[in-house]
Amino acid sequence: MLSKTKKRWSIFLFLSPWIISFLVFELYPLIFSVYISFTEYSGLNPQKIFVGFSNYIQAFSDEVFLIALRNTFIFVILTIPFTIGIALILAILLNNKNLPGRNFFKAGFFLPSVISMVVISMMWLYLYSADGLFIKLGTMMGFDLPARSFLASPDSALMSIMFMDVWAAFGYYVIFIFAGLQNIPEALYEAARIDGASSWKIATKVTLPMIKPTLFFVISINTIRSFQIFSEIYTMTGGGPRNSTQTMVHYLYEVSFKKFQLGYGSAISYILFIIIMIFTIIQKRALRSDY
């Protein structure tokens, strides 16, 4: 009996660093952020005034928040199909064992994923500038382009960041989808060929169903990442010009840490959390995934 008690205490002792860090750095901030989302709290003094759902109601009458909400939805809806579509096509091509330089292409596609997004943003900031490569190439090809950065115009700033984001992100998902394709038993393809299935039938009846869990995973991860877009906006435009690239997380940052409205910022973060949760449930049901 004594040995069992000692064993339990020793297990608890070994787990205690994780339990303490979880309670202090994860559970407490989570509960505290929920609480302050119902208060008027600046973070500069300990005073917290309970305001109920006022912060949540304020968000939907805040013009800048609604612009940020619209821009975030545009970013998510337009980037995810291109990012996942390009990743899927390239992963299928890489799955061909006869493709020359297969490992070289895998490393090349994945390379942007290991570079800091701030560094990538600074590089594209130059490419989009008035003296950048895109303006010079367009002018040489005879296009009548304005002599200013693509990021300086409200009409092209968000689309330019979306283009850069697709370029930077698709290689990360190529590796996941490629790994999913590698797990499909070759016997399934051989059986389909013996039954006379066409390439289209094999792709739609064998390949896609077998990688459905992988697709659900990469689409979910990409959706969450896209809703939380921040580094690119912060580095390249700061939400401008005229809030044309303002997104929910960047606006949350401005409200919380520039205007010191931490209660309102917390309310925005939980609105974003609910939106992401709804999207994830819809994706799970659409793909009929048990994962």
Side-chain angles (χ1 to χ4, degrees), residues 29-226:
L30 184 67
I31 295 172
F32 184 72
S33 64
V34 173
Y35 168 64
I36 64 170
S37 71
F38 294 102
T39 67
E40 188 178 313
Y41 176 55
S42 69
L44 299 176
N45 63 62
Q47 186 180 18
K48 304 176 191 68
I49 302 170
F50 185 76
V51 294
F53 285 93
S54 294
N55 287 329
Y56 292 90
I57 296 169
Q58 180 187 343
F60 291 98
S61 58
D62 182 346
E63 186 182 352
V64 180
F65 172 79
L66 294 177
I67 292 172
L69 184 65
R70 183 199 63 190
N71 289 342
T72 304
F73 270 95
I74 290 172
F75 189 93
V76 170
I77 291 169
L78 293 186
T79 57
I80 290 176
F82 285 103
T83 304
I84 301 301
I86 294 170
L88 180 62
I89 292 169
L90 292 177
I92 291 172
L93 291 174
L94 288 173
N95 197 40
N96 182 356
K97 294 176 182 175
N98 297 321
L99 181 72
R102 197 162 69 136
N103 290 331
F104 171 78
F105 286 117
K106 276 193 287 185
F109 294 145
F110 192 69
L111 184 62
S113 303
V114 298
I115 301 174
S116 165
M117 186 50 75
V118 174
V119 174
I120 290 175
S121 299
M122 293 301 292
M123 184 177 73
W124 281 78
L125 198 62
Y126 164 71
L127 293 175
Y128 283 141
S129 69
D131 297 326
L133 182 65
F134 294 143
I135 297 284
K136 287 180 179 176
L137 277 179
T139 305
M140 286 172 60
M141 294 170 69
F143 292 102
D144 185 20
L145 297 175
R148 63 176 181 176
S149 169
F150 285 100
L151 300 172
S153 168
D155 298 327
S156 58
L158 184 61
M159 295 299 291
S160 301
I161 294 175
M162 288 163 57
F163 182 79
M164 182 206 73
D165 187 81
V166 171
W167 174 86
F170 75 79
Y172 182 71
Y173 303 109
V174 165
I175 301 302
F176 283 105
I177 298 173
F178 175 74
L181 292 169
Q182 292 281 294
N183 286 327
I184 300 176
E186 188 60 31
L188 292 178
Y189 289 118
E190 290 177 4
R193 292 189 195 100
I194 290 171
D195 288 343
S198 63
S199 299
W200 175 253
K201 283 280 186 185
I202 292 174
T204 55
K205 300 297 183 183
V206 178
T207 304
L208 287 179
M210 291 298 291
I211 62 169
K212 193 186 288 183
T214 306
L215 286 178
F216 170 70
F217 175 74
V218 297
I219 291 173
S220 298
I221 294 295
N222 194 17
T223 302
I224 294 169
R225 178 186 170 278
S226 299

Side-chain angles (χ1 to χ4, degrees), residues 212-214 216-217 283-291:
K212 193 186 288 183
T214 306
F216 170 70
F217 175 74
Q283 288 168 348
K284 184 178 173 66
R285 292 191 175 180
L287 290 171
R288 297 176 185 172
S289 176
D290 295 328
Y291 293 84

